């Protein structure tokens, strides 16, 4: 639980979310925080493990400084270790078919197993899989999964978490402008606008000179007429719903109401884009230029419902939705926020799998395997580089170790056991990991704990590169003042340590 | 008595000592970042922003140096950065060493002007010697030489471990931007290389792209993400609703005309867009804004429109794809036209997602000379440092490709020069002899620092190197001639033939850094008086 200076509360288990809130002073520590952000941006998961791994890599390098091994040597052997680690991870990776719903669900399950929402089991997993499938586009070989733009999470406090679902369409927090307008339409014709339905002034400075009293009335009438013209242009196409990003004047409402058209105004651009995607409509700016093809008909149900104490518009039962909204319900806002973060992680994982359907065993199995393999390779390395290489190999064990610690079992015993399992020369060896719930060793294939290869690879890369960067620093000049300038290079590498 | 001044005055030996101390302090800061085993500095400024760097110029720039003599040194490294792009650390170290030794000479009552004359002579001699004996033509070495130059520059940096990958990328990149000038000499404008940074993946996944990349997405989501056989229009005016210039008012009597004005405003922009689209453009780059209402026309035409493109970028793109940057559609007759001839062409324009950002790539342009390097890395500090390192390497490669001549690195040149100058000094009968031999001794600071940074026995290595170089200079035997390429092998703590090992630097960089270092040392040496005026007391204001 984190309390920010404003008194806001964040409750989370997500590495990135935690670190983002913490105010860190030390420059090196700051760079670590950056790491989890990178990880979040690139793959969206594994934010905690990247920090743990990078920290461990720094820790294991410490003895070498007392042994007077040059940092450059440590760095170069770390890079070597990274190359090998990636190769090893690649080797035990297994490809799955994207179509296989269950397998993807298993992976996501293992990823969010640690999170708060794991109590609701498959719910979040199903949500994520459905949402990602909805926004997945395979256009002539180019796969595109744009979660950021087209999968929107709507959180509504209240209700049960079980009520959460992925809409076969979109929803947003808006009501029709006039209470008399229809709130439920089957097979609506949808028109999307991004212009105001009210009288607009010209951009250039225009003044009207009035000399007579009648002129004033004339101008007012003129303004009305223009709005009327706009409405007529719209009515020509006989839409059932008009949605605009800008305002709608009372008079335009009146005209449209008479034609039994529902109007929604001041909708966000991003929402409008999503509606355009699900309904097949084009967003039009000038009503005069409307065409039949701009009208969207792919959405089969338009409904405005009262959820909690606010009205929400639902557009559902779309033919081929290329966007979706995810409706989350839950006790309080904090719970919802945490669930949303979990869901984002889960969706990123789902996206990663769809884009690159390769899996590695989770539960610390892959790290342990990498550690064992690297130890073997270390023996073939000549010179002092062997030491840091070996250290890097052991650093990878931090992941299973931390896992074991967090599930409260006997760390030393279980990690040793795991190590011996991996050292066995059998085919099953690389798949042994820690079952976080039971605190026992298990074959990851049996309990179905898998993680996407991309995430693991990114974790290794980020952790090692950043550790290398920090190791290379031998001088910290802070505050940048005259005083600091006089300070010679004391070779104070320890400064760079966390 | 002397004239009294408001403020403090320091002169004679005193000031020289202070100057040397200040300069030495600056040099000490960067000293440990020299060479393949040099380490990085972490700089934290007042607001807590962090810069991690190995580049001498960057480190010194970030320091707020106050001492005037030290400032000269900071300027020096900046100059080297501008002129050559690399060798910023070594130039500072050499200058500081020259100064220190000169100061010692002054203590033996040798007049600074004599020392200056000696330094000048030594500098001239050494430049001549580099040109005549030490430089190697790249033609005799093949393409590997250029790769090696890039690698040598990168080796000392954070991305040194991936130097193979980066060196390849950079050399390909620089070679691709080559333009043959009127005198048949090839120029490599490094400005046509765009370096983009993108957080994520690892340094090794940095890629070299033949084409141009813009760090913006397409304006509307409805636009296609990829267009083959793109026809590019570059516009330098905004596609907003037409607006009269400031201060112009339209006065209407009839209210109906108001609406006409409004419609006309929209129409003007619409017509402009349609003219552009009609000419066949399917990629439209605009430096200014595009109104939301205008986007629809592009979406309908299936064209990509990009707004707020940097002006520099659009010029580059226009030049390479054969387009014309139009600031208006107006022709001489006052009509608005868009000619097909103002369109440029490219094989493909695509939008791709890297990390969390969208990029627009323009590939296969007609006169493609533009290259893009996309750098990836763990976090921002790392990317910044990678960018600086890549920039250094690009500069170095460019120098070598243009001047076609390299020298051997790893302290070889400095040692050779030192030996040469030492014997040269003995041919002179004047006081300059002392200055020149001090100059010779100062140059050795580079191999010394290199060895110290690598935690090797500096004395031992230096003695060995000196022996080889002396042998090569004193005898004309062919085999011994090879010895002039002997430099340090820091990984193993030995000496070796660095020409064969591929440790190369551009000749011009060495020459320039020698020149700059000597000039800087001389200019500080000439100072024998420092007058610091006290700030004028502010006049007290009266009540108002």
């Amino acid at each position: 639980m984190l309390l920010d200076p404003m008194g806001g509360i964040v409750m989370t288990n997500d590495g990135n979310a935690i670190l983002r809130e913490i105010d860190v002073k030390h420059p090196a520590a700051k760079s670590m925080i950056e790491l989890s952000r990178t990880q979040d941006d690139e793959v969206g998961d594994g934010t905690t493990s990247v920090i743990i791994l990078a920290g461990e890599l720094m820790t294991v390098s410490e003895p070498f400084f007392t042994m007077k091994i040059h940092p450059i040597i440590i760095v170069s052997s770390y890079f070597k270790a990274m190359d090998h680690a990636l190769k090893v991870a690649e080797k035990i990776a297994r490809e799955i078919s994207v179509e296989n719903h269950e397998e993807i669900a298993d992976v996501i399950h293992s990823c969010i197993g640690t999170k708060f929402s794991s109590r609701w089991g498959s719910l979040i997993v199903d949500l994520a899989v459905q949402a990602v499938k909805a926004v997945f586009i395979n256009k002539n070989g180019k796969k595109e999964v744009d979660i950021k733009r087209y999968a929107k999470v709507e959180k509504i406090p209240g209700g049960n978490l079980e009520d959460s679902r992925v809409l076969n369409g979109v929803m947003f927090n808006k009501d029709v402008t006039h209470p008399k307008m229809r709130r439920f339409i089957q097979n609506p014709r949808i028109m999307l606008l991004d212009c105001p339905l009210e009288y607009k002034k010209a951009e250039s400075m225009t003044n009207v000179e009035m000399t007579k009293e009648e002129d004033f009335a004339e101008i007012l009438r003129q303004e009305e007429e223009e709005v009327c013209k706009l409405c007529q242009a719209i009515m020509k196409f006989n839409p059932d719903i008009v949605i605009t990003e800008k305002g709608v004047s009372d008079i335009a409402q009146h005209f449209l109401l008479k034609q039994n058209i529902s109007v929604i105004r001041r909708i966000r651009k991003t929402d409008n884009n999503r509606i355009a995607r699900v309904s097949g409509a084009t967003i039009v700016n000038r009503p005069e230029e409307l065409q039949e093809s701009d009208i969207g008909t792919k959405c089969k149900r338009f409904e405005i419902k009262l959820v909690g104490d606010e009205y929400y518009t639902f557009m559902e039962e779309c033919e081929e939705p290329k966007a979706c909204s995810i409706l989350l319900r839950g006790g309080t806002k904090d719970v919802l926020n945490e669930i949303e973060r979990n869901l984002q992680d889960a969706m990123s994982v789902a996206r990663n799998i769809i884009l690159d359907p390769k899996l590695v065993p989770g539960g610390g199995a892959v790290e342990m395997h990498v550690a064992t393999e690297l130890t073997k390779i270390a023996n073939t390395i000549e010179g002092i580089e062997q030491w840091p290489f070996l250290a890097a190999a052991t650093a990878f064990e931090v992941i299973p170790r931390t896992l074991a610690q967090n599930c409260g079992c006997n760390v030393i015993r279980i990690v040793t056991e795991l190590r011996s399992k991996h050292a066995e020369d059998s085919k099953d060896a690389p798949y042994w990991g820690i079952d976080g719930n039971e605190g026992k060793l298990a074959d990851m294939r049996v309990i179905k704990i898998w993680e996407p290869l991309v995430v693991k690879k990114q974790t290794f890369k980020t952790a090692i590169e950043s550790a290398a960067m920090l190791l290379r620093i031998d001088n910290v000049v802070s505050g940048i003042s005259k005083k600091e300038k006089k300070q010679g290079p004391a070779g104070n590498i320890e400064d760079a340590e966390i | 008595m002397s004239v009294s001044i408001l403020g403090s005055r320091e002169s004679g030996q005193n000031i020289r000592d202070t100057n040397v101390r200040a300069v030495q302090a600056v040099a000490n800061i960067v000293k440990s970042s020299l060479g393949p085993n040099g380490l990085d500095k972490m700089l934290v400024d007042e607001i807590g922003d962090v810069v991690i760097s190995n580049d001498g110029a960057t480190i010194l720039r970030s320091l707020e140096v106050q001492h005037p003599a030290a400032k000269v040194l900071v300027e020096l490294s900046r100059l080297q950065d501008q002129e050559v792009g690399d060798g910023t650390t070594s130039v500072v170290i050499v200058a500081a060493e020259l100064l220190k030794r000169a100061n010692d000479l002054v203590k033996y009552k040798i007049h600074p002007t004599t020392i200056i004359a000696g330094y000048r002579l030594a500098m001239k001699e050494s430049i001549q010697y580099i040109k005549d004996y030490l430089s190697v033509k790249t033609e005799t070495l093949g393409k590997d030489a250029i790769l090696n130059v890039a690698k040598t520059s990168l080796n000392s940096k954070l991305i040194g471990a991936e130097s193979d990958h980066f060196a390849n990328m950079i050399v390909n990149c620089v070679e691709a931007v080559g333009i043959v000038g009127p005198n048949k000499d090839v120029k490599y404008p490094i400005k046509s290389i765009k370096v983009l940074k993108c957080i994520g993946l690892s340094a090794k996944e940095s890629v070299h792209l033949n084409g141009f990349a813009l760090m913006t997405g397409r304006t509307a989501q409805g636009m296609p993400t990829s267009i083959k056989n793109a026809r590019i229009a570059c516009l330098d005016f905004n596609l907003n609703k037409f607006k009269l210039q400031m201060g112009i008012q339209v006065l209407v009597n009839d209210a109906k005309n108001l609406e006409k004005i409004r419609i006309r405003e929209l129409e003007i922009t619409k017509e402009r867009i349609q003219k552009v689209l009609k000419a066949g453009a399917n990629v439209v780059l605009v430096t200014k804004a595009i109104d939301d209402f205008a986007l629809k026309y592009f979406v309908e035409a299936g064209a990509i429109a990009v707004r707020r493109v940097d002006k520099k970028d659009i010029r580059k793109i226009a030049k390479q794809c054969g387009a014309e940057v139009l600031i208006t559609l107006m022709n001489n007759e006052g009509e608005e036209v868009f000619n097909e001839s103002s369109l440029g062409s490219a094989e493909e324009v695509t939008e791709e997602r890297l990390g969390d950002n969208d990029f627009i790539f323009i590939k296969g342009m007609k006169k493609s000379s533009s290259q893009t390097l996309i750098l990836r890395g763990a976090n921002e500090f790392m990317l910044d440092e990678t960018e600086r390192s890549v920039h250094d390497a690009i500069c170095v490669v460019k120098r070598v490709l243009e001047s076609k001549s390299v020298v051997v690195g790893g302290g070889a040149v400095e040692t050779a020069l030192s030996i040469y100058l030492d014997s040269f000094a003995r041919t002179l009968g004047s006081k300059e002899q002392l200055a020149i031999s001090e100059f010779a001794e100062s140059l050795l600071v580079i191999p010394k620092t290199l060895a110290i940074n690598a935690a090797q026995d500096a004395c031992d290595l230096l003695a060995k190197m000196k022996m080889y170089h002396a042998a090569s200079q004193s005898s004309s035997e062919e085999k011994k001639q090879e010895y002039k390429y002997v430099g340090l092998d820091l990984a193993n703590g030995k000496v070796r033939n660095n020409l064969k090992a591929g440790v190369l630097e551009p000749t011009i960089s060495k020459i320039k850094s020698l020149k700059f270092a000597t000039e800087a040392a001389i200019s500080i040496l000439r100072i024998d008086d420092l007058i610091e005026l006290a700030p004028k007391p502010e006049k007290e204001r009266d009540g108002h």
Side-chain angles (χ1 to χ4, degrees), chain A residues 477 480, chain B residues 41-45 49-52 58-59 62-63:
Chain A
V477 184
I480 303 193
Chain B
K41 304 276 166 286
M42 183 182 244
L43 306 157
V44 190
D45 67 8
D49 267 359
V50 182
V51 176
I52 294 177
T58 314
I59 298 170
S62 319
L63 296 173

Side-chain angles (χ1 to χ4, degrees), chain B residues 26 46 64 145 149 185 201 204 221 229 249 301 332 352 378 399 438 481 505 529:
Chain B
V26 171
E46 296 97 335
E64 217 169 82
V149 172
D185 51 346
L201 293 177
K204 233 184 180 168
Q221 284 299 307
N229 294 327
Q249 292 192 358
N332 288 342
E352 270 161 50
R399 295 284 168 207
E438 286 301 318
Q481 281 297 309
E505 285 172 70
D529 216 332

Side-chain angles (χ1 to χ4, degrees), chain A residues 8 49 60 63 117 139 202 234 240 242 248 278 294 306 312 324 326 330 370 437-438 479 489:
Chain A
S49 38
V60 292
S117 48
K139 205 165 65 185
I234 291 169
D240 296 303
V242 172
V248 178
V278 294
D294 293 336
L306 187 70
Y312 286 87
C324 65
I326 303 149
V370 166
N437 295 328
E438 306 276 325

Side-chain angles (χ1 to χ4, degrees), chain A residues 25-28 30-32 34-35 37-38 40-42 70-73 75-76 79 82-83 86 139 142 144-150 194 199-210 215 218-219 221-222 225-226 229-230 245-246 269 273 277 282-286 288-291 294 351 457-458 461-463 465-466 468-482 484-489 493, chain B residues 22 25-26 28-29 31-32 36-50 52 54 62-67 70 155-158 160-162 199-205 218 221 224-226 241-244 247-256 258-259 261-263 265-267 270 291-297 299-300 350-356 358 376-382 453-455:
Chain A
K25 279 276 150 56
H26 196 285
K30 230 181 209 168
S31 109
M32 296 291 268
E34 282 273 308
L35 292 189
R37 214 193 73 196
T38 311
D40 204 34
D41 282 356
E42 186 72 23
H70 199 280
I72 296 291
I73 292 166
V75 167
S76 82
F79 275 117
M82 177 170 88
D83 277 350
L86 293 180
K139 205 165 65 185
K142 256 169 99 180
E144 189 198 302
V145 180
D146 197 337
I147 301 172
K148 206 164 89 185
R149 288 206 185 90
Y150 294 120
D194 68 347
Y199 186 74
K200 275 185 285 193
K201 272 190 292 182
E203 292 277 318
S204 310
M205 292 260 274
T206 43
N207 289 354
V208 185
E209 205 166 65
M210 287 182 285
D215 280 359
E218 173 75 8
I219 289 171
R221 202 181 52 76
Q222 181 69 30
E225 222 165 70
E226 285 309 321
K229 250 193 235 162
L230 279 180
E245 289 168 28
K246 308 272 162 65
K269 180 94 198 161
N273 271 335
R277 259 210 172 178
T282 316
I283 303 171
V284 181
N285 187 276
R286 293 176 66 180
E288 304 96 87
E289 288 177 352
L290 275 165
Q291 293 162 4
D294 293 336
R351 182 192 66 194
K457 268 164 84 176
Q458 181 64 37
K461 282 181 215 164
T462 319
E465 284 197 348
S466 70
M469 185 181 68
L470 292 176
L471 285 177
R472 283 179 56 100
I473 297 165
D474 74 334
N475 205 347
V476 179
V477 184
S478 64
I480 303 193
S481 61
K482 208 170 124 204
E484 235 71 29
K485 196 201 71 195
K486 296 277 193 256
Q487 173 200 337
I493 297 151
Chain B
V26 171
N28 276 341
I29 289 176
K31 213 169 196 172
S32 67
N37 293 41
L39 294 169
D40 297 356
K41 304 276 166 286
M42 183 182 244
L43 306 157
V44 190
D45 67 8
E46 296 97 335
I47 3 171
D49 267 359
V50 182
I52 294 177
N54 179 285
S62 319
L63 296 173
E64 217 169 82
V65 176
Q66 286 199 336
H67 195 283
N155 253 333
S156 64
K157 314 284 169 148
L158 176 62
E162 324 283 11
I199 293 182
L201 293 177
S202 71
K204 233 184 180 168
E205 263 114 327
R218 59 203 202 283
Q221 284 299 307
T225 47
S226 150
K241 273 178 238 167
F242 183 78
K243 192 175 173 184
L244 284 172
I248 301 182
Q249 292 192 358
V250 187
L251 208 60
V252 285
N253 283 319
D254 190 355
K256 273 189 191 130
L258 266 185
E259 181 62 18
I261 291 173
R262 201 178 68 82
I263 295 203
E265 281 178 355
L266 293 178
E267 291 293 325
K270 185 183 166 189
D291 205 299
D292 281 351
F293 91 91
L295 292 176
K296 183 174 163 264
Y297 307 118
V299 174
E300 276 171 2
T350 51
E351 187 198 77
E352 270 161 50
R353 205 188 126 171
L354 288 176
D356 229 15
D358 291 327
R376 312 298 308 266
N379 58 23
E380 224 160 289
F381 314 130
M382 191 160 170
N453 283 349

Side-chain angles (χ1 to χ4, degrees), chain A residues 122 171 201 222 257 266 321 331 346 388 396 421 440 485:
Chain A
S122 63
M171 62 167 289
K201 272 190 292 182
Q222 181 69 30
L257 179 63
R266 296 196 204 287
F396 278 98
K421 279 272 189 215
K440 277 189 243 155
K485 196 201 71 195

